[in-house]
């Protein structure tokens, strides 16, 4: 599955700013205060890392499609 979009979904829980996503894939994620997805990134190049970051997010707020 090609990933075309990655976002922060705080509709159920809030980002706890733990930095796990950035540690997993700093090419896509940054955590200055809350997680942000970097612009202009080819998500397909980091598909496995994005999935790992979403799976390991303690708040479950990383979504992708």
């Amino acid at each position: 599955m090609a990933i075309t979009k990655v976002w922060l979904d705080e509709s159920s829980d809030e980002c706890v700013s733990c930095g796990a996503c950035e540690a997993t894939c700093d090419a896509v994620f940054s955590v200055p205060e809350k997680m942000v997805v970097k612009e202009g990134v080819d998500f397909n190049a980091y598909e496995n890392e994005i999935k790992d970051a979403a799976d390991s997010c303690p708040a479950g707020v990383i979504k992708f499609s």
Side-chain angles (χ1 to χ4, degrees):
M1 173 179 104
I3 295 177
T4 58
K5 184 177 178 183
V6 180
W7 69 96
L8 173 66
D9 179 0
E10 293 185 301
S11 60
S12 297
D13 289 305
E14 289 191 27
C15 175
V16 296
S17 303
C18 68
C21 57
E22 187 175 33
T24 301
C25 188
D26 65 352
V28 175
F29 303 103
S30 178
V31 185
E33 290 183 25
K34 282 190 177 184
M35 183 275 285
V36 294
V37 177
K38 295 180 179 179
E39 294 185 23
V41 177
D42 176 10
F43 298 133
N44 289 320
Y46 302 99
E47 183 174 347
N48 290 332
E49 292 91 341
I50 292 168
K51 289 177 179 179
D52 287 346
D55 288 343
S56 64
C57 177
V61 296
I62 299 172
K63 306 298 180 192
F64 59 89
S65 63

